[in-house]
Amino acid sequence: SAIDNGRLGTQNVQLDSDGVARNYPVYFEGDGWRIPSLPARIGREFGWPTPSTDHMLLNWRGKPNSYKYVSFADAYQDVGSKESPSSADEFKDKIIIIGSTAPNLFDVRSTPMAEMYPAVEMLATAIDNYKHGDSLRFPDGRIWYLLITLAIIWLTAWAFHREEVEEISTHYSACPS
């Protein structure tokens, strides 16, 4: 039924070669299947623009616990209570992600923001990036930027060298023989 209704999405994070999670896949491919990530699936549901790359370089919102957290036990207890301490529309028009944040449950990853970053918050960051279309991007034509940067460095070094040569020749010509 998950495949028939088209509401299937994965929430796997792929670590870089140094063991740090910096990006989030838009799709997972394997055995002839192309399964969207959960942020991509939610984005399709809400009509958000699809990233043009296979991976989103995450635009982090801050250190761990940057998003609002509500204890599942408290929320569950509020649902069954006649006198709920929270407002009736607390979750209205919100995307709710249920997950763990306790390090002992081993659902944490190393990120540029912290060594132990809750995976549920990584998922929230990916969804947030998808929604706002503000994941980080590498500029097109990176080789040109590298060449321009190297040219600027070379010209700066050449200018300093030239100035030093002129200063030395001026110093020698000013000295009496």
Side-chain angles (χ1 to χ4, degrees):
S1 68
I3 293 173
D4 290 341
N5 70 24
R7 292 187 171 186
L8 185 65
T10 63
Q11 92 279 1
N12 297 357
V13 174
Q14 295 173 333
L15 304 177
D16 291 345
S17 60
D18 60 356
V20 177
R22 293 181 180 86
N23 57 60
Y24 206 93
V26 176
Y27 291 95
F28 287 93
E29 295 191 30
D31 298 327
W33 290 84
R34 186 172 188 197
I35 303 171
S37 66
L38 189 55
R41 184 61 200 100
I42 292 170
R44 187 178 342 149
E45 191 72 26
F46 288 113
W48 301 336
T50 303
S52 59
T53 60
D54 291 338
H55 288 79
M56 296 186 307
L57 185 59
L58 292 176
N59 185 5
W60 301 98
R61 302 300 190 225
K63 302 263 183 218
N65 303 316
S66 297
Y67 292 94
K68 181 180 178 184
Y69 283 86
V70 176
S71 162
F72 180 78
D74 292 344
Y76 185 75
Q77 199 169 30
D78 284 354
V79 170
S81 172
K82 291 184 182 194
E83 296 177 18
S84 173
S86 58
S87 67
D89 62 347
E90 180 178 10
F91 299 117
K92 184 179 182 194
D93 299 327
K94 305 283 192 287
I95 296 173
I96 310 300
I97 303 170
I98 300 173
S100 65
T101 56
N104 292 343
L105 295 175
F106 304 108
D107 199 16
V108 293
R109 305 287 183 271
S110 179
T111 69
M113 301 307 295
E115 271 190 49
M116 296 182 69
Y117 203 91
V120 68
E121 193 149 342
M122 288 180 67
L123 176 60
T125 301
I127 292 170
D128 198 359
N129 284 193
Y130 218 105
K131 178 179 181 180
H132 295 101
D134 65 353
S135 61
L136 304 176
R137 294 169 192 79
F138 288 108
D140 291 332
R142 288 183 272 182
I143 190 71
W144 290 112
Y145 292 110
L146 175 64
L147 293 174
I148 291 169
T149 303
L150 289 173
I152 290 170
I153 291 170
W154 184 83
L155 288 171
T156 304
W158 178 74
F160 279 120
H161 175 70
R162 184 172 172 217
E163 184 177 305
E164 186 177 299
V165 168
E166 286 178 8
E167 188 176 306
I168 289 172
S169 66
T170 305
H171 179 270
Y172 281 121
S173 65
C175 292
S177 333

